[in-house]
Amino acid sequence: MPSLSVEEATSPLSSFWSAGAKLLGGYVRYPKLSLAGKTVPSAGGFTFGTGMSLSFKVNSSYGMRLFLDYNLLPPHSKSSNEYMNMLTLGTSFIVLL
């Protein structure tokens, strides 16, 4: 899925903590799909995403980040008009060598 980062920002809260936010936009293209003898034609549409993060620097070579992302994807079938909402909660660990 091609996407374009519209805005991304990080702000230090202290020497160990920082907060971040992002805003994403893009376009998704779904291929033709056959399920249970029925065919869903190909479709596409614009997608939108946003997220926030909280990062903690443990020491000069190790850190961790907690993030929450929300994505809105267009419907695969134009007749259903049901958008897909995705909420992702996760963590990442950073090791600098």
Side-chain angles (χ1 to χ4, degrees), residues 5 8 10 22-23 25 27 33-35 42 56-57 63 77 85:
S5 179
E8 189 168 343
T10 303
K22 63 182 176 181
L23 182 62
Y27 184 82
L33 180 66
S34 294
L35 290 172
S42 64
F56 177 68
K57 182 179 172 184
S77 170
N85 297 278

Side-chain angles (χ1 to χ4, degrees), residues 1-4 24-32 41-49 71-78 82-84 86:
M1 169 175 68
S3 65
L4 171 66
L24 304 167
Y27 184 82
V28 64
R29 182 83 181 142
Y30 300 114
K32 184 170 79 170
S42 64
F46 291 99
T47 181
F48 166 78
N71 293 300
L72 179 64
L73 297 168
H76 190 128
S77 170
K78 296 292 182 187
E82 293 179 5
Y83 284 78
M84 184 170 21
M86 292 184 358

Side-chain angles (χ1 to χ4, degrees), residues 19 45 64 69 74 77-78 83 91 97:
M64 51 195 311
D69 290 346
S77 170
K78 296 292 182 187
Y83 284 78
T91 187
L97 304 175

Side-chain angles (χ1 to χ4, degrees), residues 1-2 6 9 18 25-26 30 34 38 52 55 57 62 64 70 90:
M1 169 175 68
V6 177
S18 64
Y30 300 114
S34 294
K38 295 186 179 183
M52 59 185 165
S55 301
K57 182 179 172 184
Y62 182 73
M64 51 195 311
Y70 170 75

